[in-house]
């Protein structure tokens, strides 16, 4: 227990260091290049107006195009998109058939839209993201001033209701607490890659040199896979601060959150053993100390209880630091950190159970039962 407490304290310190090192975008000014925004949509009628309205309100971008790939929507998304394209010539409405064999829907949509893009900077955005008026310009300026080939401005995560407030903050906490940001920028190691497909800005030449989304066509977590492909081709990239650049509410309530996480968590672990190791390590660091701290006096060693209190408090402190740095609720939500970690452990187990029983789908399409299958390098 004492080892867990020391490790938890070290992670809290690392979180605070990363909070200071996290790259932020420069002030907005005119962007002197063509910027292509790529928006993949499938049944996004509830989000399309808000997303496109925000994108078209972007300032400091005199040469902007927005390419929207409608991936066989059935809910009126196509009609709404056609209306936007008629009203504003910066919007290009694109549509094609189902993804070919071996492709997942989102990588296919992104690849097809990117193939039609003419900008020197490509910005990938999800439909549930609301970009600030200066968000696109500042993201592109950060890409150029940093000298990186890819930056992923992580949007401020909007969470309502108990389930969202328990789980969603772990997205930003995880990379801010566990990823050495400066080393991640320089290292080609796949394990040091973090990116968010909600908002991702990449140099077009580097994107195509890495193979674009074709290189990650069968990957459920295509954003991280794209950064890894870019690193393999000699590029560099990292997650950056997007708190003031965009906001994102990924899931509306427990049911949507459960479906979204069970879609992706199995793919995040590197295999069943890797997922089990991740969940076990996080439980040891952040759940067991809480159990020890809350144990009644007289049961177990007093030293274990004291170490548990230290581990619990440092875990909460690290979570609070991450929340304050990224625009989240630091209190009282951070106090539930052990519960949040335990809930993600449950969702990971559920994700693997559904994979094993062929019950994972997303937006009406089944996902592969083996999220880590590999095709031969260079194959199609």
């Amino acid at each position: 227990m004492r080892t867990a407490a020391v490790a938890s304290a070290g992670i809290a310190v690392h979180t605070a260091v990363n909070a200071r090192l996290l790259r932020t975008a420069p002030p907005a000014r005119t962007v002197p290049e063509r910027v292509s925004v790529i928006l993949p949509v499938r049944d996004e009628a509830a989000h399309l107006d808000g997303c496109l309205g925000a994108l078209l309100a972007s300032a400091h971008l005199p040469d902007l195009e927005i390419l929207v790939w409608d991936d066989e929507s059935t809910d009126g998304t196509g009609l709404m998109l056609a209306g936007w394209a008629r009203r504003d010539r910066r919007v290009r409405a694109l549509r094609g058939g189902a993804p070919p064999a071996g492709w997942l829907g989102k990588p296919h949509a992104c690849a097809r839209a990117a193939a039609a893009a003419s900008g020197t900077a490509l910005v990938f955005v999800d439909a549930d993201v609301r970009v600030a008026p200066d968000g696109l310009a500042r993201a592109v300026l950060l890409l150029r001033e940093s000298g990186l080939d890819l930056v992923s401005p992580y949007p401020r995560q909007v969470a309502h209701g108990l389930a969202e407030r328990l789980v969603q903050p772990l997205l930003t906490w995880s990379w801010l607490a566990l990823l050495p940001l400066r080393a991640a920028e320089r290292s080609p190691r796949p394990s040091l890659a973090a990116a968010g497909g909600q908002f991702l800005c990449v140099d077009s030449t580097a994107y195509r040199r890495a193979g674009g989304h074709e290189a990650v066509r069968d990957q459920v977590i295509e954003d991280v896979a794209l950064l890894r492909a870019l690193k393999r081709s000699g590029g560099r990239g990292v997650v950056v601060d997007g708190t003031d650049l965009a906001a994102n509410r990924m899931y509306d309530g427990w049911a949507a959150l459960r479906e979204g996480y069970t879609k992706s968590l199995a793919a995040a672990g590197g295999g069943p053993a890797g997922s089990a190791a991740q969940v076990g390590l996080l439980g040891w660091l952040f759940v067991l100390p809480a159990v020890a701290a809350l144990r009644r006096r007289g049961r177990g060693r007093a030293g274990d209880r004291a170490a548990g209190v230290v581990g619990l408090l440092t875990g909460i402190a690290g979570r609070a630091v991450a929340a304050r740095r990224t625009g989240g609720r630091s209190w009282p939500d951070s106090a539930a950190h052990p519960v949040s970690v335990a809930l993600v452990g449950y969702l990971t187990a559920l994700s693997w159970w559904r994979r094993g029983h062929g019950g994972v789908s997303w937006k009406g399409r089944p996902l592969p039962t083996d999220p880590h299958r590999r095709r031969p390098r260079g194959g199609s």
Side-chain angles (χ1 to χ4, degrees):
M1 189 56 61
R2 293 179 182 178
T3 304
V6 171
S8 179
I11 290 173
V13 171
H14 183 257
T15 305
V17 171
N18 262 350
R20 294 183 62 87
L21 294 176
L22 184 61
R23 286 188 182 271
T24 58
R29 64 179 187 275
T30 300
V31 175
E33 62 181 297
R34 187 172 183 80
V35 176
S36 298
V37 176
I38 293 164
L39 175 62
V41 294
R42 176 173 168 83
D43 294 339
E44 295 287 3
H47 295 292
L48 187 63
D49 283 347
C51 182
L52 277 177
L55 289 171
L56 290 168
S58 296
H60 311 288
L61 293 171
D63 196 1
L64 171 69
E65 65 173 357
I66 302 173
L67 303 100
V68 189
W69 184 272
D70 178 14
D71 184 13
E72 295 191 308
S73 295
T74 60
D75 66 345
T77 294
L79 290 175
M80 295 172 63
L81 178 57
W84 279 101
R86 285 194 301 269
R87 292 191 298 271
D88 196 310
R89 63 177 183 171
R90 292 174 293 176
V91 177
R92 294 180 59 188
L94 307 172
R95 183 179 174 90
W103 285 79
L104 295 182
K106 185 177 179 181
H108 177 251
C110 289
R112 294 295 298 272
S118 57
T120 51
L122 306 179
V123 181
F124 296 87
V125 177
D126 281 352
D128 52 12
V129 170
R130 301 296 177 266
V131 176
D134 61 356
L136 291 179
R138 294 180 65 194
V140 175
L141 291 170
L142 176 58
L143 176 74
R144 298 313 184 195
E145 292 187 5
S146 66
L148 298 171
D149 300 289
L150 179 152
V151 295
S152 180
Y154 218 92
R156 178 175 59 85
Q157 296 298 303
V158 178
H160 301 297
L162 181 60
E164 294 174 60
R165 289 174 64 178
L166 281 172
V167 177
Q168 286 304 99
L170 290 184
L171 290 173
T172 47
W173 170 83
S174 61
W175 54 261
L176 198 57
L178 305 174
L179 181 72
L181 288 175
R182 287 294 179 260
E185 288 185 6
R186 300 185 296 270
S187 174
R189 295 183 61 182
S191 59
L192 295 181
Q198 304 104 313
F199 189 8
L200 192 151
C201 184
V202 59
D203 175 75
S204 61
T205 300
Y207 172 82
R208 295 187 171 95
R209 184 174 63 240
H213 279 83
E214 183 176 2
V216 300
R217 57 187 178 269
D218 59 355
Q219 298 298 298
V220 174
I221 306 179
E222 88 295 330
D223 42 18
V224 176
L226 180 64
L227 176 54
R228 289 172 176 168
L230 186 136
K231 287 189 172 193
R232 287 195 298 270
S233 68
R236 297 187 304 140
V238 76
V239 64
V240 298
D241 183 20
T243 305
D244 297 330
L245 308 187
N248 174 220
R249 186 183 183 188
M250 290 179 64
Y251 304 116
D252 182 2
W254 166 248
L257 183 148
R258 182 190 61 224
E259 297 307 303
Y261 277 87
T262 54
K263 165 184 70 76
S264 58
L265 280 175
S275 289
Q278 289 177 1
V279 170
L281 180 61
L282 291 175
W284 175 66
L285 287 169
F286 302 110
V287 178
L288 288 184
V291 173
L294 298 175
R295 189 177 296 159
R296 282 185 285 176
R297 294 182 183 277
R299 299 184 63 188
R301 293 187 302 170
D304 282 349
R305 187 172 186 274
V309 170
V310 172
L312 173 62
L313 293 179
T314 54
I316 290 172
R319 169 79 170 266
V321 168
R324 287 179 63 86
R325 181 63 182 84
T326 58
R329 292 185 182 93
S330 58
W331 190 259
D333 298 40
S334 298
H337 189 57
V339 179
S340 300
V341 172
L343 187 54
V344 168
Y346 161 75
L347 291 171
T348 301
L350 180 62
S351 181
W352 277 109
W353 185 88
R354 288 190 176 181
R355 294 275 179 184
H357 291 77
V360 181
S361 64
W362 189 244
K363 296 197 173 183
R365 289 180 179 145
L367 294 179
T369 55
D370 178 5
H372 302 287
R373 73 190 192 282
R374 290 288 183 264
R375 60 183 183 275
R377 292 179 74 89
S380 59

